[in-house]
Amino acid sequence: MPTLFERIVSGELPAKIVHQDEHVTAFRDIHPRAPTHILVVPNRPIPTADDVADDDALLVGRMFLVARDLARREGIAADGYRLIVNCRAHGGQEVPHLHLHLVGGEPLGPMLSQRR
Ligand code: DGP
């Protein structure tokens, strides 16, 4: 079964795609948490950050370069932004297809909610 994000990458499901190349796709999050909230995903599904293999180093690096370029294009690079990768249950990962959240456009507050 293709993942939700594979179906977006292939065009089967609609999304607001802001970047696509042969390795990486980026699209706007359906539930944005900030003025800019973009998901950067590898076209080939890697389930979680824990599943990244040594051979994926170039691909993961490309994801960061795409995020960098999109942040500049969105006009949020100078003020700064946050890149988030949630991993499995304790990380709050909902979609089992590796993705970078690029969020910014306003001050984002503390990295984690104050729980302790
Ligand atoms: P995570 O919890 O890290 O797995 O984040 C998954 C994100 O994916 C969450 O912020 C909402 C987003 N999302 C879920 N379904 C869809 C969808 O169908 N389209 C888009 N554009 N985003 C989605």
Side-chain angles (χ1 to χ4, degrees):
M1 277 284 286
T3 67
L4 177 67
F5 290 169
E6 274 184 282
R7 295 171 71 197
I8 288 175
V9 167
S10 71
E12 181 189 339
L13 291 179
K16 294 178 182 167
I17 291 180
V18 293
H19 171 90
Q20 187 157 45
D21 62 42
E22 62 178 315
H23 301 291
V24 175
T25 299
F27 48 91
R28 296 196 188 277
D29 194 289
I30 203 166
H31 296 130
R33 307 289 183 89
T36 292
H37 188 169
I38 291 169
L39 302 175
V40 181
V41 312
N43 294 346
R44 171 168 59 80
I46 299 170
T48 79
D50 187 57
D51 298 300
V52 172
D54 291 357
D55 285 350
D56 295 325
L58 195 57
L59 178 60
V60 173
R62 285 174 183 271
M63 291 169 63
F64 274 82
L65 294 176
V66 168
R68 176 203 64 189
D69 289 346
L70 286 170
R72 292 176 183 171
R73 201 204 297 171
E74 292 280 308
I76 63 172
D79 284 334
Y81 52 88
R82 190 169 290 161
L83 296 174
I84 301 167
V85 179
N86 297 321
C87 180
R88 297 187 175 146
H90 282 197
Q93 183 178 5
E94 296 169 8
V95 180
H97 182 138
L98 181 68
H99 48 285
L100 281 180
H101 293 258
L102 166 62
V103 287
E106 64 186 12
L108 296 170
M111 186 173 68
L112 294 172
S113 55
Q114 306 295 321
R115 292 173 301 142
R116 295 171 191 271

PDB file of all heavy atoms in Angstrom, residues 4-5 8 27-30 37 39 86 92-95 99 101, ligand 1:
ATOM      1  N   LEU A   4       0.288   7.779   2.304  1.00  0.00           N
ATOM      2  CA  LEU A   4      -0.441   8.999   1.959  1.00  0.00           C
ATOM      3  C   LEU A   4       0.451   9.948   1.170  1.00  0.00           C
ATOM      4  O   LEU A   4       0.034  10.520   0.148  1.00  0.00           O
ATOM      5  CB  LEU A   4      -0.916   9.655   3.259  1.00  0.00           C
ATOM      6  CG  LEU A   4      -1.633  10.989   3.159  1.00  0.00           C
ATOM      7  CD1 LEU A   4      -2.974  10.820   2.463  1.00  0.00           C
ATOM      8  CD2 LEU A   4      -1.830  11.589   4.546  1.00  0.00           C
ATOM      9  N   PHE A   5       1.678  10.110   1.625  1.00  0.00           N
ATOM     10  CA  PHE A   5       2.564  11.070   0.952  1.00  0.00           C
ATOM     11  C   PHE A   5       3.050  10.548  -0.395  1.00  0.00           C
ATOM     12  O   PHE A   5       3.278  11.341  -1.314  1.00  0.00           O
ATOM     13  CB  PHE A   5       3.730  11.446   1.867  1.00  0.00           C
ATOM     14  CG  PHE A   5       3.326  12.291   3.060  1.00  0.00           C
ATOM     15  CD1 PHE A   5       4.204  12.522   4.093  1.00  0.00           C
ATOM     16  CD2 PHE A   5       2.055  12.863   3.141  1.00  0.00           C
ATOM     17  CE1 PHE A   5       3.835  13.305   5.196  1.00  0.00           C
ATOM     18  CE2 PHE A   5       1.673  13.640   4.231  1.00  0.00           C
ATOM     19  CZ  PHE A   5       2.565  13.862   5.262  1.00  0.00           C
ATOM     20  N   ILE A   8       0.465  11.631  -2.724  1.00  0.00           N
ATOM     21  CA  ILE A   8       0.593  13.051  -3.062  1.00  0.00           C
ATOM     22  C   ILE A   8       1.739  13.236  -4.061  1.00  0.00           C
ATOM     23  O   ILE A   8       1.599  13.956  -5.070  1.00  0.00           O
ATOM     24  CB  ILE A   8       0.805  13.893  -1.788  1.00  0.00           C
ATOM     25  CG1 ILE A   8      -0.510  13.958  -0.997  1.00  0.00           C
ATOM     26  CG2 ILE A   8       1.321  15.294  -2.121  1.00  0.00           C
ATOM     27  CD1 ILE A   8      -0.419  14.664   0.348  1.00  0.00           C
ATOM     28  N   PHE A  27       5.164  20.212  -0.132  1.00  0.00           N
ATOM     29  CA  PHE A  27       3.780  20.696  -0.287  1.00  0.00           C
ATOM     30  C   PHE A  27       3.319  21.273   1.032  1.00  0.00           C
ATOM     31  O   PHE A  27       3.880  20.980   2.106  1.00  0.00           O
ATOM     32  CB  PHE A  27       2.849  19.551  -0.748  1.00  0.00           C
ATOM     33  CG  PHE A  27       2.984  18.286   0.040  1.00  0.00           C
ATOM     34  CD1 PHE A  27       2.190  18.055   1.157  1.00  0.00           C
ATOM     35  CD2 PHE A  27       3.920  17.325  -0.317  1.00  0.00           C
ATOM     36  CE1 PHE A  27       2.325  16.893   1.899  1.00  0.00           C
ATOM     37  CE2 PHE A  27       4.061  16.143   0.425  1.00  0.00           C
ATOM     38  CZ  PHE A  27       3.251  15.933   1.526  1.00  0.00           C
ATOM     39  N   ARG A  28       2.291  22.117   0.947  1.00  0.00           N
ATOM     40  CA  ARG A  28       1.809  22.796   2.161  1.00  0.00           C
ATOM     41  C   ARG A  28       1.036  21.820   3.051  1.00  0.00           C
ATOM     42  O   ARG A  28       0.245  21.006   2.555  1.00  0.00           O
ATOM     43  CB  ARG A  28       0.939  24.012   1.790  1.00  0.00           C
ATOM     44  CG  ARG A  28       1.746  25.066   1.063  1.00  0.00           C
ATOM     45  CD  ARG A  28       1.102  26.420   0.990  1.00  0.00           C
ATOM     46  NE  ARG A  28       1.888  27.278   0.105  1.00  0.00           N
ATOM     47  CZ  ARG A  28       2.988  27.956   0.462  1.00  0.00           C
ATOM     48  NH1 ARG A  28       3.405  27.897   1.714  1.00  0.00           N
ATOM     49  NH2 ARG A  28       3.652  28.685  -0.408  1.00  0.00           N
ATOM     50  N   ASP A  29       1.297  21.921   4.352  1.00  0.00           N
ATOM     51  CA  ASP A  29       0.609  21.068   5.319  1.00  0.00           C
ATOM     52  C   ASP A  29      -0.886  21.397   5.311  1.00  0.00           C
ATOM     53  O   ASP A  29      -1.291  22.562   5.229  1.00  0.00           O
ATOM     54  CB  ASP A  29       1.184  21.306   6.720  1.00  0.00           C
ATOM     55  CG  ASP A  29       0.774  20.227   7.704  1.00  0.00           C
ATOM     56  OD1 ASP A  29      -0.422  20.200   8.085  1.00  0.00           O
ATOM     57  OD2 ASP A  29       1.632  19.417   8.094  1.00  0.00           O
ATOM     58  N   ILE A  30      -1.703  20.377   5.408  1.00  0.00           N
ATOM     59  CA  ILE A  30      -3.151  20.568   5.347  1.00  0.00           C
ATOM     60  C   ILE A  30      -3.673  21.285   6.592  1.00  0.00           C
ATOM     61  O   ILE A  30      -4.725  21.933   6.541  1.00  0.00           O
ATOM     62  CB  ILE A  30      -3.850  19.201   5.130  1.00  0.00           C
ATOM     63  CG1 ILE A  30      -5.214  19.390   4.506  1.00  0.00           C
ATOM     64  CG2 ILE A  30      -3.922  18.396   6.421  1.00  0.00           C
ATOM     65  CD1 ILE A  30      -5.825  18.105   3.956  1.00  0.00           C
ATOM     66  N   HIS A  37       3.966  26.615   6.604  1.00  0.00           N
ATOM     67  CA  HIS A  37       4.082  25.238   7.120  1.00  0.00           C
ATOM     68  C   HIS A  37       4.091  24.310   5.914  1.00  0.00           C
ATOM     69  O   HIS A  37       3.051  24.040   5.308  1.00  0.00           O
ATOM     70  CB  HIS A  37       2.940  24.892   8.076  1.00  0.00           C
ATOM     71  CG  HIS A  37       3.128  23.577   8.768  1.00  0.00           C
ATOM     72  ND1 HIS A  37       2.347  23.177   9.829  1.00  0.00           N
ATOM     73  CD2 HIS A  37       4.013  22.556   8.560  1.00  0.00           C
ATOM     74  CE1 HIS A  37       2.737  21.982  10.243  1.00  0.00           C
ATOM     75  NE2 HIS A  37       3.734  21.576   9.487  1.00  0.00           N
ATOM     76  N   LEU A  39       5.706  20.652   4.158  1.00  0.00           N
ATOM     77  CA  LEU A  39       6.284  19.331   4.395  1.00  0.00           C
ATOM     78  C   LEU A  39       7.219  18.992   3.242  1.00  0.00           C
ATOM     79  O   LEU A  39       6.839  19.129   2.069  1.00  0.00           O
ATOM     80  CB  LEU A  39       5.172  18.280   4.485  1.00  0.00           C
ATOM     81  CG  LEU A  39       4.120  18.533   5.569  1.00  0.00           C
ATOM     82  CD1 LEU A  39       2.995  17.491   5.478  1.00  0.00           C
ATOM     83  CD2 LEU A  39       4.740  18.514   6.955  1.00  0.00           C
ATOM     84  N   ASN A  86       9.312  14.460  13.310  1.00  0.00           N
ATOM     85  CA  ASN A  86       8.711  13.631  14.348  1.00  0.00           C
ATOM     86  C   ASN A  86       8.988  12.159  14.014  1.00  0.00           C
ATOM     87  O   ASN A  86       8.878  11.758  12.846  1.00  0.00           O
ATOM     88  CB  ASN A  86       7.205  13.872  14.428  1.00  0.00           C
ATOM     89  CG  ASN A  86       6.878  15.299  14.834  1.00  0.00           C
ATOM     90  OD1 ASN A  86       7.549  15.882  15.686  1.00  0.00           O
ATOM     91  ND2 ASN A  86       5.854  15.888  14.220  1.00  0.00           N
ATOM     92  N   GLY A  92       5.256  11.755  18.066  1.00  0.00           N
ATOM     93  CA  GLY A  92       4.005  12.297  17.533  1.00  0.00           C
ATOM     94  C   GLY A  92       3.881  12.170  16.027  1.00  0.00           C
ATOM     95  O   GLY A  92       3.141  12.914  15.392  1.00  0.00           O
ATOM     96  N   GLN A  93       4.592  11.191  15.446  1.00  0.00           N
ATOM     97  CA  GLN A  93       4.520  11.018  13.993  1.00  0.00           C
ATOM     98  C   GLN A  93       3.192  10.377  13.607  1.00  0.00           C
ATOM     99  O   GLN A  93       2.836   9.319  14.117  1.00  0.00           O
ATOM    100  CB  GLN A  93       5.685  10.142  13.514  1.00  0.00           C
ATOM    101  CG  GLN A  93       5.720   9.980  11.997  1.00  0.00           C
ATOM    102  CD  GLN A  93       6.914   9.153  11.526  1.00  0.00           C
ATOM    103  OE1 GLN A  93       7.680   8.611  12.331  1.00  0.00           O
ATOM    104  NE2 GLN A  93       7.056   9.041  10.210  1.00  0.00           N
ATOM    105  N   GLU A  94       2.473  11.038  12.693  1.00  0.00           N
ATOM    106  CA  GLU A  94       1.176  10.522  12.230  1.00  0.00           C
ATOM    107  C   GLU A  94       1.303   9.793  10.896  1.00  0.00           C
ATOM    108  O   GLU A  94       0.579   8.828  10.648  1.00  0.00           O
ATOM    109  CB  GLU A  94       0.177  11.676  12.071  1.00  0.00           C
ATOM    110  CG  GLU A  94      -0.171  12.382  13.366  1.00  0.00           C
ATOM    111  CD  GLU A  94      -0.952  13.667  13.113  1.00  0.00           C
ATOM    112  OE1 GLU A  94      -1.347  13.920  11.955  1.00  0.00           O
ATOM    113  OE2 GLU A  94      -1.139  14.421  14.075  1.00  0.00           O
ATOM    114  N   VAL A  95       2.140  10.306  10.017  1.00  0.00           N
ATOM    115  CA  VAL A  95       2.247   9.738   8.672  1.00  0.00           C
ATOM    116  C   VAL A  95       3.590   9.007   8.558  1.00  0.00           C
ATOM    117  O   VAL A  95       4.650   9.630   8.695  1.00  0.00           O
ATOM    118  CB  VAL A  95       2.141  10.843   7.598  1.00  0.00           C
ATOM    119  CG1 VAL A  95       2.260  10.242   6.202  1.00  0.00           C
ATOM    120  CG2 VAL A  95       0.822  11.615   7.744  1.00  0.00           C
ATOM    121  N   HIS A  99       9.347  12.994   6.805  1.00  0.00           N
ATOM    122  CA  HIS A  99       9.083  14.357   6.316  1.00  0.00           C
ATOM    123  C   HIS A  99       9.692  15.372   7.256  1.00  0.00           C
ATOM    124  O   HIS A  99       9.706  15.180   8.469  1.00  0.00           O
ATOM    125  CB  HIS A  99       7.582  14.623   6.151  1.00  0.00           C
ATOM    126  CG  HIS A  99       6.731  14.212   7.320  1.00  0.00           C
ATOM    127  ND1 HIS A  99       6.428  12.897   7.589  1.00  0.00           N
ATOM    128  CD2 HIS A  99       6.124  14.939   8.293  1.00  0.00           C
ATOM    129  CE1 HIS A  99       5.669  12.825   8.665  1.00  0.00           C
ATOM    130  NE2 HIS A  99       5.474  14.064   9.131  1.00  0.00           N
ATOM    131  N   HIS A 101       9.085  19.083   8.603  1.00  0.00           N
ATOM    132  CA  HIS A 101       8.168  20.210   8.707  1.00  0.00           C
ATOM    133  C   HIS A 101       9.007  21.481   8.639  1.00  0.00           C
ATOM    134  O   HIS A 101       9.907  21.672   9.468  1.00  0.00           O
ATOM    135  CB  HIS A 101       7.445  20.224  10.059  1.00  0.00           C
ATOM    136  CG  HIS A 101       6.498  19.095  10.295  1.00  0.00           C
ATOM    137  ND1 HIS A 101       5.127  19.228  10.169  1.00  0.00           N
ATOM    138  CD2 HIS A 101       6.711  17.815  10.677  1.00  0.00           C
ATOM    139  CE1 HIS A 101       4.541  18.088  10.482  1.00  0.00           C
ATOM    140  NE2 HIS A 101       5.471  17.212  10.790  1.00  0.00           N
TER     141      HIS A 101
HETATM  142  P1  DGP B   1       3.534  14.147  11.598  1.00  0.00           P
HETATM  143  O1  DGP B   1       2.697  14.243  12.835  1.00  0.00           O
HETATM  144  O2  DGP B   1       4.952  14.638  11.821  1.00  0.00           O
HETATM  145  O3  DGP B   1       3.491  12.771  10.955  1.00  0.00           O
HETATM  146  O4  DGP B   1       2.915  15.178  10.573  1.00  0.00           O
HETATM  147  C1  DGP B   1       2.028  14.821   9.570  1.00  0.00           C
HETATM  148  C2  DGP B   1       1.513  16.098   8.961  1.00  0.00           C
HETATM  149  O5  DGP B   1       0.884  15.768   7.748  1.00  0.00           O
HETATM  150  C3  DGP B   1       0.486  16.856   9.805  1.00  0.00           C
HETATM  151  O6  DGP B   1       1.019  18.130  10.157  1.00  0.00           O
HETATM  152  C4  DGP B   1      -0.712  17.013   8.894  1.00  0.00           C
HETATM  153  C5  DGP B   1      -0.178  16.656   7.533  1.00  0.00           C
HETATM  154  N1  DGP B   1      -1.119  15.965   6.672  1.00  0.00           N
HETATM  155  C6  DGP B   1      -1.832  14.851   6.997  1.00  0.00           C
HETATM  156  N2  DGP B   1      -2.592  14.476   5.950  1.00  0.00           N
HETATM  157  C7  DGP B   1      -2.345  15.373   4.947  1.00  0.00           C
HETATM  158  C8  DGP B   1      -2.837  15.500   3.618  1.00  0.00           C
HETATM  159  O7  DGP B   1      -3.642  14.714   3.121  1.00  0.00           O
HETATM  160  N3  DGP B   1      -2.368  16.550   2.897  1.00  0.00           N
HETATM  161  C9  DGP B   1      -1.454  17.437   3.408  1.00  0.00           C
HETATM  162  N4  DGP B   1      -1.054  18.438   2.606  1.00  0.00           N
HETATM  163  N5  DGP B   1      -0.967  17.339   4.662  1.00  0.00           N
HETATM  164  C10 DGP B   1      -1.412  16.312   5.413  1.00  0.00           C
END
